[in-house]
Amino acid sequence: MFDSVGWGEILVLIVAGLFILGPERLPAAAAWLGKTIRQVREYATGAKDQLRNELGPEFDELRKPLEDLRGLRNFNPRTAVRRSLFDDGDLFGAKPNGHAPGANGGSVIPQPHPAAAPQPEKLAPNERPPIDPDAT
C-alpha cells in the first residue's frame, strides 16, 4: 500500500503532524489512524474471502490476469534481454509463436498462411521505390 513512501516522506509527515496537531493530540491521532487502517484491511480481507467462497475455482481464473499484470509491473529490461538471449524464451516467458515442439521433440517449421499476401518484387539497383502521394 505504501510502497513508494520512503523514510524521508514519513519524517516530513511526522514533523507536519507535530506542527498541525501539536504534541498533545499527535499520539491519539496516530492511534486512530492505525485503528482505521487495521479496520480497512479487515474489511478488504473479508470481502476477498467472501468472493473466494462464492466464486470457488473461478476466483483463481479472475486473479490470473492480475498476476500477469503484476509481473509486467516488475518488468526489468535487463532481465528480459538476458532471459531472451540465454534462456531460449521470449520477453514475457511464453513460447515463441510457431515454434511449438513437434511429436518427436523437434521444432515444427511454421508454414505461411495460404491467404498471405505475396511478397513485393525486389527493386533493381538504383531504382526508386514508388511513392504514394496520399500517404505522405
Side-chain angles (χ1 to χ4, degrees):
M1 183 171 160
F2 296 109
D3 294 334
S4 63
V5 178
W7 289 107
E9 289 90 356
I10 292 174
L11 182 63
V12 169
L13 289 174
I14 291 172
V15 170
L18 278 172
F19 281 118
I20 295 170
L21 298 175
E24 302 87 27
R25 291 185 283 173
L26 187 62
W32 175 83
L33 181 65
K35 184 174 73 171
T36 304
I37 290 175
R38 209 173 7 260
Q39 194 173 23
V40 168
R41 282 185 182 171
E42 289 174 7
Y43 289 149
T45 303
K48 184 172 75 171
D49 291 341
Q50 184 178 2
L51 273 174
R52 180 173 282 147
N53 289 337
E54 289 180 7
L55 293 177
E58 295 173 356
F59 183 77
D60 294 330
E61 292 175 14
L62 291 174
R63 288 189 53 91
K64 186 177 182 323
L66 294 175
E67 294 297 326
D68 294 341
L69 286 176
R70 186 171 292 140
L72 288 177
R73 183 175 29 166
N74 297 329
F75 181 73
N76 182 354
R78 181 178 292 170
T79 305
V81 169
R82 186 176 64 235
R83 187 182 309 152
S84 176
L85 293 176
F86 300 117
D87 293 344
D88 293 332
D90 75 348
L91 295 178
F92 302 109
K95 291 182 181 177
N97 189 15
H99 295 283
N104 60 359
S107 296
V108 175
I109 299 172
Q111 299 296 323
H113 192 274
Q119 295 292 328
E121 295 181 22
K122 301 270 184 184
L123 297 175
N126 298 326
E127 181 182 1
R128 296 183 66 181
I131 297 176
D132 183 9
D134 293 333
T136 56

